[in-house]
Amino acid sequence: MATVVTGEKPNDMQASFDKVSSNFGGLLDDPMPLYRAKMNESPVMKGDILEELGVPPIFGNARGRQVYTLFRHSDVGAVLRDQDTYTSGLIGEGLGTFMGTFMLTAMDGDYHRRMRSLLQPCFMPPVLKEWRAALIDPVIRNEYVAPLVPRGKADLIADMGLGFPVRVIYAILGFPDGDQKGLEIFASMALKILAGPKRSPEEAARARVEALEASRALHDYVLPLVAERRRQGSLGNDLIGRLLRTEHEGETLSDEQVTDFVRMLLPAAAETTTRTFGSLMVLLLERPALLDQIRQDRSLLSKAIDEAVRLEPVATFKAREAARDVEIGGVAIPKGSIVSMVVHAANRDETVFDDPDTFDIFRRNKPSFGFGYGVHMCIGLFVAKAEIESAVNAIFDLLPNVRFDPSKPKPEIKGVGLRGPKSVNVVWDTTA
Ligand code: HEM
């Protein structure tokens, strides 16, 4: 197995998570009233609402391009559907500089189509079914929830939500079992990469060096493992085995491409799942009758996740670049401008969703954008949903009468750039 050589302390995941939260939190806990006013007054706004609200851009804007911000569901949907007019390359200039050259979210046109066709079969429901039974359910239940049972109380973020998404990805990838230190370093590096973009130039320069080091260390850890797997015959039903064997129209992936994909996967798959799980738990614990209904009928869980991702999308913004002069809602947007889309606002557009600020798992199914939309829609959606379902099922099964800890402040879902609760303190009945 490869040795991880880095100065990273193994247990600083929480610190990295808090850093990312404050980095992308922005100036308001609840920006919705402002967004609602914008939706009514200037739904296509010249300017960057992210910048106004103190959130560093995840896209690159070294060239100082004009930014336009969209709020309405119809405008956001139209942009995300039209990948020829609105391209994604700018993502590679921002967060992408920390993640190597094979960044799926930043690919455009035919190249994205070909690479996505190579990767998609590795994430389809039959594969998921297998991973879920063999890895996802047992890992989350046995390693994260069962050990909590005798304690009678926990913070669902610190005690399981931070750990399980990375642990599951680690298991799905087929990395060596039982390497706790490697796993924690892996997790913390993923968060450091995400903490890279900053607002002030001095902070940005410092964070950039740290993020690049973390990214390089991650690359150097993964590449030998991938090469070794290739030497051993590219076997196995884990993700690395599947990535090494995948083929589409005669194309395959090199060791470097597999390594870079793994490197981009961690930041994409880890804290997005942590925060979504945290927000869902808050939304359910705030509604004990609904929680009980879902506990009795687990088939409702999938709808509950979808509704949580609509109401409280963790990735609250998307960005694209206009590849030609366009007009949206009567506003002329010149070629080369950045189109920033407020998913949080679009997902609560009252012209599309009745009672848009209400958590209603029985509402009519309509597209929302928390997992993206169009050709770049989240490739790991089924993985994320399987993990969150496994986590909530294990909580329902093993932590009887789980409820908020009355001795701790009620958690709040907040933030502008990345939303979610900082902690979710709960208690449950124990037999002791
Ligand atoms: C609840 C958890 C998650 C949320 C909310 C989420 C959200 C998103 C969103 C919004 C996008 C679209 C980006 C864009 O249009 O620019 C996306 C893309 C992506 N996600 Fe997720 N994601 C989650 C979990 C995961 C997991 C678990 C994985 C992998 C196992 C993953 C892998 C990816 C990848 C590779 C892409 C790029 C797809 C492409 O560009 O074609 N995500 N995700």
Side-chain angles (χ1 to χ4, degrees), residues 240-418:
I240 290 192
R242 288 180 184 276
L243 292 171
L244 286 170
R245 293 194 303 275
T246 194
E247 195 181 330
H248 179 75
E249 294 172 356
E251 273 186 296
T252 54
L253 297 172
S254 68
D255 289 0
E256 277 290 344
Q257 286 173 318
V258 171
T259 301
D260 269 359
F261 182 64
V262 169
R263 175 160 57 167
M264 81 145 283
L265 212 50
L266 275 171
E271 58 82 58
T272 47
T273 307
T274 302
R275 284 177 212 272
T276 303
F277 160 72
S279 295
L280 174 68
M281 286 313 301
V282 172
L283 292 164
L284 294 180
L285 289 159
E286 282 172 345
R287 296 164 180 78
L290 177 66
L291 184 144
D292 224 45
Q293 191 178 1
I294 299 174
R295 195 204 317 261
Q296 306 293 334
D297 178 0
R298 306 295 172 88
S299 70
L300 297 175
L301 204 40
S302 174
K303 277 174 185 286
I305 298 171
D306 291 339
E307 175 65 353
V309 171
R310 179 196 70 83
L311 188 71
E312 295 293 3
V314 51
T316 57
F317 285 80
K318 288 274 129 294
R320 299 289 187 259
E321 179 173 340
R324 58 177 173 80
D325 291 346
V326 287
E327 194 187 293
I328 304 178
V331 176
I333 299 183
K335 176 181 172 176
S337 305
I338 291 175
V339 179
S340 176
M341 292 158 277
V342 188
V343 167
H344 189 191
N347 279 5
R348 294 184 185 212
D349 187 329
E350 60 203 359
T351 64
V352 177
F353 301 101
D354 297 334
D355 293 326
D357 298 326
T358 302
F359 181 64
D360 174 8
I361 73 165
F362 301 106
R363 67 172 63 248
R364 249 183 63 212
N365 199 9
K366 290 182 184 164
S368 63
F369 311 122
F371 277 115
Y373 189 59
V375 295
H376 286 281
M377 183 146 184
C378 181
I379 206 171
L381 185 154
F382 297 121
V383 180
K385 287 189 74 173
E387 285 182 57
I388 295 169
E389 282 192 33
S390 295
V392 179
N393 275 324
I395 289 172
F396 283 169
D397 293 341
L398 302 181
L399 311 182
N401 193 19
V402 66
R403 57 203 181 273
F404 284 133
D405 183 342
S407 73
K408 295 272 170 52
K410 281 261 169 68
E412 279 177 82
I413 300 168
K414 57 187 189 182
V416 177
L418 277 176

Side-chain angles (χ1 to χ4, degrees), residues 55-306:
V55 179
I58 54 160
F59 46 84
N61 195 8
R63 284 181 272 150
R65 289 165 287 189
Q66 180 65 53
V67 179
Y68 292 80
T69 308
L70 311 184
F71 298 89
R72 281 191 305 222
H73 185 279
S74 54
D75 293 334
V76 171
V79 169
L80 291 177
R81 257 195 313 269
D82 182 355
Q83 72 272 18
D84 296 327
T85 307
Y86 304 98
T87 57
S88 293
L90 75 169
I91 297 168
E93 298 165 33
L95 209 50
T97 52
F98 306 111
M99 290 187 211
T101 51
F102 193 75
M103 193 177 173
L104 193 63
T105 20
M107 292 177 193
D108 282 312
D110 189 51
Y111 185 49
H112 176 263
R113 186 194 60 75
R114 285 177 10 236
M115 294 306 116
R116 176 102 189 191
S117 304
L118 270 170
L119 296 165
Q120 186 79 58
C122 305
F123 291 92
M124 292 314 279
V127 179
L128 247 292
K129 205 171 157 203
E130 204 179 300
W131 286 346
R132 185 165 177 169
L135 299 168
I136 301 176
D137 273 338
V139 160
I140 293 178
R141 186 170 287 251
N142 303 336
E143 294 181 26
Y144 288 89
V145 184
L148 297 177
V149 172
R151 286 172 42 178
K153 64 180 186 175
D155 171 1
L156 296 179
I157 298 292
D159 293 323
M160 63 178 286
L162 273 177
F164 79 74
V166 181
R167 174 70 183 90
V168 165
I169 292 298
Y170 198 79
I172 283 176
L173 283 165
F175 282 159
D177 246 358
D179 176 19
Q180 186 60 22
K181 186 158 183 257
L183 177 63
E184 287 184 26
I185 291 169
F186 205 57
S188 157
M189 284 196 292
L191 286 165
K192 266 202 176 151
I193 295 169
L194 200 62
K198 292 274 180 196
R199 297 194 74 224
S200 88
E202 304 77 44
E203 260 191 305
R206 230 186 357 258
R208 195 181 157 72
V209 172
E210 261 191 33
L212 280 170
E213 270 172 19
S215 176
R216 200 170 309 119
L218 195 50
H219 172 273
D220 293 349
Y221 176 66
V222 176
L223 185 62
L225 291 171
V226 170
E228 181 56 27
R229 292 287 305 276
R230 172 104 57 198
R231 263 194 303 279
Q232 288 170 0
S234 307
L235 306 169
N237 284 338
D238 55 54
L239 185 54
I240 290 192
R242 288 180 184 276
L243 292 171
L244 286 170
R245 293 194 303 275
T246 194
E247 195 181 330
H248 179 75
E249 294 172 356
E251 273 186 296
T252 54
L253 297 172
S254 68
D255 289 0
E256 277 290 344
Q257 286 173 318
V258 171
T259 301
D260 269 359
F261 182 64
V262 169
R263 175 160 57 167
M264 81 145 283
L265 212 50
L266 275 171
E271 58 82 58
T272 47
T273 307
T274 302
R275 284 177 212 272
T276 303
F277 160 72
S279 295
L280 174 68
M281 286 313 301
V282 172
L283 292 164
L284 294 180
L285 289 159
E286 282 172 345
R287 296 164 180 78
L290 177 66
L291 184 144
D292 224 45
Q293 191 178 1
I294 299 174
R295 195 204 317 261
Q296 306 293 334
D297 178 0
R298 306 295 172 88
S299 70
L300 297 175
L301 204 40
S302 174
K303 277 174 185 286
I305 298 171
D306 291 339

